[in-house]
């Protein structure tokens, strides 16, 4: 009987520990550049995101070749000329929630918090801060964040021929539906 009680307590401890980590394997990352001559936008639905609710640590990664553009030529230029995705295949964010709130994943609620960290793109790393939201609604945990990236922070060169067509700052929107990470037993 004593062994059964210990086993149950151990399983409950493992389960509660696992509920502190959230995982999304198909986060949506959209970027948008508004210019008078031509808007540029793309979407990637293959982002990987992990949030540790206990520590507040957040990590996010996206394969740059996964961005889909309205036309193939834009996609080719993005991968070959701007982000050089063969040489620098991923964009990566590593940071933490500032002042980690107590998040109850069993109750419907909205949480907003500041996130600080570093973004790595095109072989360069830059400090970044943004606001993120986490919503728990009917058992579904979703995250959302909007921020701008300056191309010069990541040494992304714009050819003179198209300099007037591409903004110096690109607006990014990230949306993720998280699952509670289950322990490997």
């Amino acid at each position: 009987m004593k062994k059964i009680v210990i086993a149950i307590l151990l399983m409950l401890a493992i389960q509660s520990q696992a509920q502190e980590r959230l995982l999304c394997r198909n986060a949506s990352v959209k970027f948008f550049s508004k210019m008078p001559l031509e808007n540029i936008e793309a979407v990637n639905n293959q982002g990987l995101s992990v949030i540790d609710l206990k520590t507040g640590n957040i990590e996010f990664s996206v394969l740059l070749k996964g961005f889909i553009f309205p036309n193939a030529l834009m996609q080719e230029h993005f991968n070959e000329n701007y982000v050089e995705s063969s040489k620098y295949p991923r964009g990566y964010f590593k940071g933490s929630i500032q002042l980690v709130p107590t998040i109850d994943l069993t109750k419907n609620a909205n949480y907003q918090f500041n996130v600080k960290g570093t973004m790595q793109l095109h072989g360069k790393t830059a400090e970044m801060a943004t606001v993120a939201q986490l919503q728990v609604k009917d058992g579904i945990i979703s995250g959302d964040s909007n921020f701008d990236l300056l191309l010069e922070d990541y040494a992304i060169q714009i050819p003179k021929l198209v300099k007037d067509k591409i903004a110096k700052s690109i607006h990014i929107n990230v949306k993720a539906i998280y699952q509670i990470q289950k322990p490997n037993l």
Side-chain angles (χ1 to χ4, degrees), residues 30-150:
K30 294 180 182 179
F31 73 76
F32 184 75
S33 166
K34 183 175 175 99
M35 292 297 289
L37 298 176
E38 181 177 28
N39 292 338
I40 298 172
E41 57 188 312
V43 66
N44 183 328
N45 292 313
Q46 301 171 14
L48 176 64
S49 176
V50 178
I51 301 174
D52 186 323
L53 296 176
K54 185 176 181 180
T55 64
N57 291 335
I58 296 176
E59 292 188 36
F60 192 93
S61 176
V62 65
L63 279 172
L64 298 175
K65 284 188 179 181
F67 279 99
I68 306 298
F69 288 75
N71 71 55
L73 187 59
M74 278 185 182
Q75 192 162 327
E76 182 180 327
H77 287 173
F78 172 79
N79 284 299
E80 291 179 10
N81 302 332
Y82 300 113
V83 296
E84 300 176 271
S85 59
S86 292
K87 189 174 181 182
Y88 310 106
R90 292 186 179 276
Y92 191 79
F93 175 80
K94 186 174 184 175
S96 61
I97 298 169
Q98 306 300 291
L99 304 172
V100 182
T102 301
I103 297 175
D104 186 345
L105 299 177
T106 64
K107 296 181 182 176
N108 289 351
N110 292 313
Y111 304 92
Q112 183 170 312
F113 40 83
N114 294 319
V115 176
K116 287 186 180 181
T118 56
M119 176 72 75
Q120 185 177 27
L121 181 65
H122 195 240
K124 303 295 180 191
T125 302
E127 296 291 321
M128 192 184 125
T130 189
V131 175
Q133 293 80 34
L134 195 67
Q135 179 184 49
V136 179
K137 185 170 184 186
D138 301 329
I140 297 172
I141 306 160
S142 58
D144 186 26
S145 184
N146 289 286
F147 52 92
D148 293 324
L149 294 180
L150 293 173

